Amino acid sequence: MSHQIAVVTRFYKEMWDHADKSLIPGIFHPDFTFRGSLGPVLVGHEQFAGYVDFVTGALGSYTSDILELVEQGDKVAGRLRFHGYHRQEMFGFAPTGKHVAWAGAPFFTFEGDKVRDLWVLGDVHGLIEQLKANAG
């Protein structure tokens, strides 16, 4: 496993799946840029940590399933499934306690050993449709 694939795997399986924000400085440059699967565009560790709090607060047992990772040069792209139990308001929907899941496609750009940019395309429409169906 290459260093970059190892960093991406650690990001999802150690940082996200356990909401371990202490790993953020070891993975990302201090002023890295991030566009998350749920839409926000953020810069730096502090803003990203707030996004982690939002997602893991809204979704209990939040998990990232890595389905595929591809590496080319200083970039790693992937296909993932994100999921958890809806426990706090999200996109205007009151918590239902029901399981929701959506697909995501992350694109990591490395500078040296750390991630400089992360752009994630997420199926937000599919997630909102689940939230809507669960609310009804």
Side-chain angles (χ1 to χ4, degrees):
M1 180 182 307
S2 74
H3 171 74
Q4 292 177 162
I5 295 288
V7 168
V8 170
T9 301
R10 184 174 185 220
F11 171 68
Y12 285 115
K13 303 316 297 172
E14 295 179 32
M15 199 287 303
W16 268 116
D17 289 3
H18 301 285
D20 187 352
K21 297 182 297 185
S22 71
L23 298 174
I24 292 171
I27 294 172
F28 294 106
H29 281 273
D31 57 349
F32 85 103
T33 51
F34 173 76
R35 187 244 181 231
S37 69
L38 299 179
V41 176
L42 309 170
V43 176
H45 295 176
E46 187 175 326
Q47 287 186 1
F48 179 71
Y51 180 73
V52 173
D53 289 340
F54 163 71
V55 173
T56 59
L59 299 171
S61 299
Y62 179 81
T63 305
S64 306
D65 299 332
I66 299 171
L67 306 175
E68 181 176 15
L69 294 175
V70 178
E71 181 176 29
Q72 183 176 9
D74 66 349
K75 300 189 183 331
V76 174
R79 186 170 57 93
L80 279 84
R81 178 178 179 256
F82 307 116
H83 56 101
Y85 292 89
H86 183 206
R87 67 180 182 189
Q88 288 182 8
E89 182 177 320
M90 184 176 231
F91 293 111
F93 293 95
T96 63
K98 295 187 179 175
H99 187 261
V100 295
W102 71 101
F107 295 85
F108 293 80
T109 302
F110 282 78
E111 185 177 294
D113 289 345
K114 294 188 179 180
V115 175
R116 183 65 152 155
D117 181 70
L118 172 53
W119 185 87
V120 185
L121 178 62
D123 181 12
V124 175
H125 180 72
L127 173 59
I128 291 171
E129 287 301 312
Q130 291 173 69
L131 296 170
K132 189 184 300 183
N134 290 345

